[in-house]
């Protein structure tokens, strides 16, 4: 992929397949990847990976059903490369410090500031443009929240103002564990008994 162009298709096998490139589509994919209701409670890691791959392909590729089965693995790799804007990380596991869905209310204003407009009002915004704006957010409420989460994850000492901010904004800073509807029902039933 060429960073100077905004791709609208991905080359898989010998064919170019059109993809949905609006930022909302990719956010739907990222949300689906973390949706515990997509998987059976006792699903293996392999089954979970397969469901995630299938879901990503079905959402991103406009004509996903025309991709030959032997090209699906490549289609997934190309989709991930597109979502990551072609950037590779060092492969080291990092602490989870943000959630697109939970943090939306503090990410959107920051991206709006970078873009100079209300992005939700735009009929279309390419994922790479959105991601580029996200990478340029700078100092704001979202970056402060993520910084505190990172310090907590690495067991670093918080400054006095950070402790005060954390105490006053626990719901904003604490990442919620995603649970399935079935798990929620079980927890609610257990609470009734207690």
């Amino acid at each position: 992929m060429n960073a100077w162009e905004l791709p609208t298709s991905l080359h898989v096998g010998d064919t170019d397949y059109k993809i949905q490139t609006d930022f909302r589509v990719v956010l739907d994919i990222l949300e689906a990847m973390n949706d515990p209701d997509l998987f059976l409670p006792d699903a293996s890691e392999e089954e979970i990976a397969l469901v995630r791959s299938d879901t990503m392909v079905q959402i991103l590729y406009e004509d996903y059903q025309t991709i030959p089965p032997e090209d699906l693995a490549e289609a997934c790799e190309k989709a991930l490369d597109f979502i990551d804007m072609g950037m590779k990380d060092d492969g080291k596991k990092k602490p989870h410090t943000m959630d697109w869905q939970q943090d939306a209310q503090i990410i959107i204003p920051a991206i709006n500031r970078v873009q100079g407009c209300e992005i939700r009002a735009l009929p279309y915004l390419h994922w790479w443009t959105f991601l580029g704006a996200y990478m340029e957010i700078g100092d704001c409420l979202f970056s402060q929240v993520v910084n505190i989460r990172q310090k907590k994850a690495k067991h670093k000492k918080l400054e006095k103002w950070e402790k005060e901010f954390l105490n006053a904004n626990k719901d904003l800073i604490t990442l919620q564990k995603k649970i399935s509807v079935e798990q929620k029902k079980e927890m609610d039933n257990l609470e009734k008994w207690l």
Side-chain angles (χ1 to χ4, degrees):
M1 275 185 262
N2 182 347
W4 296 108
E5 298 173 3
L6 296 175
T8 57
S9 64
L10 296 176
H11 191 77
V12 178
D14 295 327
T15 308
D16 286 333
Y17 293 95
K18 289 194 70 59
I19 57 173
Q20 298 189 74
T21 59
D22 186 64
F23 77 99
R24 289 164 274 249
V25 172
V26 177
L27 292 175
D28 286 346
I29 292 169
L30 296 173
E31 185 178 335
M33 297 299 102
N34 293 309
D35 184 352
D37 288 317
L38 248 138
F39 319 107
L40 296 172
D42 57 346
S44 68
E45 288 297 316
E46 188 176 291
E47 291 168 326
I48 290 171
L50 183 61
V51 170
R52 285 181 171 156
S53 298
D54 287 346
T55 302
M56 178 176 54
V57 167
Q58 289 175 23
I59 295 172
L60 187 66
Y61 290 89
E62 288 184 10
D63 296 322
Y64 69 90
Q65 64 276 14
T66 64
I67 301 172
E70 63 271 13
D71 290 340
L72 286 175
E74 182 184 357
C76 288
E77 288 175 30
K78 297 280 176 86
L80 288 171
D81 196 38
F82 169 76
I83 291 169
D84 292 339
M85 205 162 58
M87 295 184 287
K88 304 291 182 209
D89 64 11
D90 57 12
K92 294 179 184 173
K93 190 168 173 93
K94 295 176 180 71
H96 184 69
T97 57
M98 66 86 62
D99 181 277
W100 288 105
Q101 188 175 13
Q102 180 180 330
D103 294 332
Q105 77 271 18
I106 57 176
I107 294 173
I108 292 166
I111 292 177
N112 285 347
R113 188 186 65 208
V114 173
Q115 286 296 107
C117 67
E118 173 55 67
I119 61 167
R120 293 171 291 191
L122 298 174
Y124 172 82
L125 180 66
H126 194 282
W127 168 247
W128 283 14
T129 304
F130 174 89
L131 193 56
Y134 172 80
M135 290 187 286
E136 291 298 318
I137 284 176
D139 189 30
C140 63
L141 176 60
F142 174 65
S143 62
Q144 291 171 356
V145 167
V146 170
N147 184 50
I148 292 171
R149 288 175 183 163
Q150 287 173 338
K151 282 186 171 183
K152 285 178 53 82
K154 294 178 180 180
H155 306 290
K156 290 186 176 181
K157 185 177 179 182
L158 296 177
E159 295 179 32
K160 183 180 176 186
W161 75 267
E162 291 171 321
K163 287 179 188 176
E164 291 171 359
F165 186 81
L166 172 61
N167 290 333
N169 298 284
K170 280 197 187 288
D171 288 342
L172 182 64
I173 294 175
T174 305
L175 285 172
Q176 305 303 315
K177 185 174 188 230
K178 303 228 185 242
I179 60 172
S180 67
V181 172
E182 188 175 302
Q183 291 169 321
K184 174 85 171 106
K185 285 179 185 175
E186 288 175 16
M187 289 172 58
D188 290 345
N189 286 336
L190 189 60
E191 275 184 25
K192 287 178 186 176
W193 288 102
L194 297 174

